[in-house]
């Protein structure tokens, strides 16, 4: 960070969640949300931004994630130490309830935070990879529209996957 | 039973999550519903999946008794070693792993026959020799497998030449090159 920006007052944004909770974040954190970065670059950013698709519970987590990533990346530590630190943080951060993970994933998509989206997608993939078909149907609310005969045939076709 | 569910989780995000799954889970989840079967068979989905599964490593090797073994290392999970058993009638006489491309493996057996195999599904296809190829006893062949993005096809190149008793100076006058397109089957 250059000395001139340090002297000027830090720019803050107010983010309002779906349920009306307002979070104050610094610009360095706000720009991690690609949707906001684009607003800032296009000079369309108002200091007060409403995020209609994210609840306060999830937004608090998203901000915690962005804050940690912004601080680690701007800190004076070497790249390898920063990488290790982020890995540890990410692992712990993903240690949450499955429904929270799904909501975080959806929020990361909506707010366009690529690293968080990748992280949640990978975590969810490793969670579901050994689940049964019935468990997966329940998790994603998918109706089984195969007839009994069709399902038998399709299971036979992909029998290699069940070995 | 683990997990709950979200009533209307966006379809595109589900696809993003599924495209990070290993091949085996994708095979199983094709049995979830008609829609999932369609989504998971889409060629764009398959390409994305191949590009995203970079942490997964598979090693294919031939054991001293000529059977085929695979070692799978999916980042973090225990390493799995298994013997690949193809359908009956295909004896374990493998002599060479020629090469691999996007998970498909080209193998040669004792009879100098080429097989293209998928170690995950255990599907296998025998690659025929060209009718114009050099006579088998007396000639040597080298093979190669590659993916041709322009035609979205796998191609196998065979280079054969007659034995001249001098391995450093093959008789180039009698060289035969065969290019086989897996998609077209010729």
């Amino acid at each position: 960070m250059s000395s001139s920006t340090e002297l000027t007052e830090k720019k803050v944004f107010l983010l309002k969640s779906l349920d009306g909770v307002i979070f104050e974040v610094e610009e360095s954190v706000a720009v991690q949300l690609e949707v906001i970065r684009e607003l800032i670059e296009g000079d369309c950013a108002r200091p007060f931004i409403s995020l209609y698709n994210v609840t306060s519970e999830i937004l608090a987590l998203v901000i915690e994630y962005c804050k940690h990533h912004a601080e680690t990346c701007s800190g004076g530590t070497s790249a390898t130490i920063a990488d290790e630190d982020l890995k540890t943080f990410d692992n712990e951060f993903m240690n949450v309830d499955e429904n929270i993970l799904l909501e975080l994933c959806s929020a990361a998509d909506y707010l366009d935070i690529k690293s968080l989206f990748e992280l949640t997608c990978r975590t969810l993939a490793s969670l579901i990879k050994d689940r049964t078909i019935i468990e997966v149907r329940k998790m994603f609310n998918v109706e089984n529209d195969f007839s009994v005969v069709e399902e038998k045939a399709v299971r036979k076709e992909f029998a290699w996957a069940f070995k | 039973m683990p997990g709950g569910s979200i009533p209307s989780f966006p379809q595109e995000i589900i696809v993003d999550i599924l495209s990070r799954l290993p091949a085996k889970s994708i095979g199983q989840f094709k049995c979830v519903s008609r829609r999932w079967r369609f989504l998971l068979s889409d060629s764009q989905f398959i390409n994305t999946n191949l590009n995203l599964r970079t942490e997964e490593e598979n090693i294919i090797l031939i054991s001293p008794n000529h059977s085929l073994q695979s070692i799978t290392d999916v980042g973090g999970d225990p390493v799995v070693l298994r013997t690949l058993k193809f359908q009956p009638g295909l004896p374990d006489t493998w002599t060479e792993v020629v090469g691999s491309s996007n998970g498909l493996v080209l193998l040669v057996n004792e009879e100098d026959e080429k097989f293209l195999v998928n170690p995950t599904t255990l599907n296998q296809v025998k690659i025929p020799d060209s009718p114009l190829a050099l006579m088998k006893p007396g000639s040597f062949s080298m093979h190669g497998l590659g993916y041709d993005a322009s035609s979205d096809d796998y191609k196998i190149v065979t280079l054969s030449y007659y034995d001249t008793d001098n391995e450093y100076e093959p008789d180039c006058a009698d060289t035969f090159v065969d290019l086989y397109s897996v998609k077209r089957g010729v």
Side-chain angles (χ1 to χ4, degrees):
Chain A
M1 209 179 276
S2 71
S3 57
S4 64
T5 51
E6 263 168 356
L7 289 174
T8 54
E9 208 177 301
K10 274 183 181 160
K11 220 174 175 179
V12 295
F13 290 87
L14 298 172
L15 308 181
K16 188 179 162 195
S17 71
L18 173 71
D19 46 339
V21 181
I22 294 164
F23 294 84
E24 188 183 303
V25 294
E26 285 175 17
E27 186 171 5
S28 64
V29 176
V31 292
Q32 307 254 331
L33 284 63
E34 193 70 18
V35 275
I36 294 182
R37 198 182 62 84
E38 277 171 16
L39 287 177
I40 294 170
E41 280 184 357
D43 240 354
C44 307
R46 305 275 176 278
F48 191 86
I49 299 169
S50 287
L51 301 169
Y52 296 108
N53 285 10
V54 191
T55 62
S56 55
E57 185 193 11
I58 297 302
L59 189 54
L61 285 171
V62 168
I63 290 170
E64 183 194 336
Y65 173 89
C66 291
K67 223 171 170 170
H68 191 92
H69 276 243
E71 280 164 9
T72 310
C73 296
S74 69
T77 48
S78 75
T80 39
I81 294 175
D83 258 12
E84 275 305 304
D85 179 78
L86 285 183
K87 234 183 226 166
T88 315
F89 172 83
D90 285 355
N91 276 340
E92 279 169 26
F93 190 71
M94 287 293 94
N95 197 6
V96 286
D97 178 80
E98 183 173 302
N99 284 335
I100 303 276
L101 267 183
L102 284 166
E103 284 189 58
L104 269 174
C105 183
S106 165
D109 179 57
Y110 166 66
L111 302 168
D112 201 358
I113 311 164
K114 296 202 171 53
S115 62
L116 182 59
F117 184 65
E118 182 61 33
L119 178 66
T120 47
C121 280
R122 278 197 188 277
T123 309
L124 283 161
S126 66
L127 263 183
I128 65 171
K129 75 176 169 54
D130 296 319
R131 291 213 176 147
T132 66
I133 292 173
I134 294 167
E135 286 166 346
V136 170
R137 277 185 195 133
K138 184 175 177 254
M139 179 177 177
F140 291 107
N141 248 321
V142 184
E143 190 202 341
N144 176 16
D145 53 3
F146 285 125
S147 69
V148 179
V149 180
E150 274 177 328
E151 183 165 351
K152 215 174 160 188
V154 77
R155 274 179 186 258
K156 200 176 160 196
E157 186 183 347
F158 297 104
W160 58 265
F162 293 90
K163 275 178 194 156
Chain B
M1 180 136 141
S5 67
I6 285 193
S8 56
F9 199 68
Q11 179 89 53
E12 318 86 73
I13 304 184
I14 295 181
V15 174
D16 278 314
I17 296 168
L18 298 179
S19 61
R20 285 157 177 85
L21 285 172
K24 213 171 160 167
S25 311
I26 290 175
Q28 288 189 22
F29 296 167
K30 280 182 183 174
C31 309
V32 163
S33 73
R34 285 183 190 166
R35 174 111 191 111
W36 275 42
R37 189 188 170 182
F38 175 77
L39 286 172
L40 300 180
S41 306
D42 177 56
S43 65
Q44 204 188 329
F45 175 86
I46 294 167
N47 281 333
T48 314
N49 179 251
L50 284 170
N51 291 331
L52 286 170
R53 272 170 40 216
T54 47
E55 276 174 29
E56 193 177 321
E57 265 191 276
N58 280 295
I59 300 166
I60 298 283
L61 50 93
I62 294 168
S63 71
N65 66 1
H66 297 287
S67 69
L68 199 64
Q69 315 240 317
S70 87
I71 301 172
T72 308
D73 183 5
V74 184
D77 290 355
V79 171
V80 181
L81 170 74
R82 65 182 180 130
T83 304
L84 304 180
K85 282 274 166 223
F86 295 96
Q87 50 185 252
L90 193 61
D92 281 337
T93 56
W94 305 113
T95 54
E96 191 192 352
V97 177
V98 175
S100 76
S101 178
N102 288 341
L104 296 177
V105 181
L106 183 64
L107 300 166
V108 171
N109 68 9
E110 266 175 2
E111 313 287 312
D112 206 21
E113 293 169 324
K114 295 174 291 238
F115 285 86
L116 187 62
V117 305
N118 180 332
T120 309
T121 63
L122 296 181
N123 275 347
Q124 41 95 3
V125 183
K126 187 180 171 191
I127 307 298
D129 287 319
S130 160
L132 306 172
L134 303 186
M135 292 294 287
K136 273 273 169 71
S139 69
F140 282 109
S141 297
M142 294 181 275
H143 315 279
L145 165 72
Y147 175 68
D148 175 7
S150 67
S151 58
D152 184 30
D153 191 6
Y154 292 89
K155 291 190 174 161
I156 293 161
V157 181
T158 303
L159 179 70
S160 320
Y161 53 85
Y162 281 119
D163 183 12
T164 56
D165 287 334
N166 182 348
E167 59 180 307
Y168 299 107
E169 279 177 47
D171 183 359
C172 291
D174 276 325
T175 304
F176 180 76
V177 181
D178 179 23
L179 181 66
Y180 179 86
S181 151
V182 174
K183 206 181 208 173
R184 287 166 43 221
V186 282

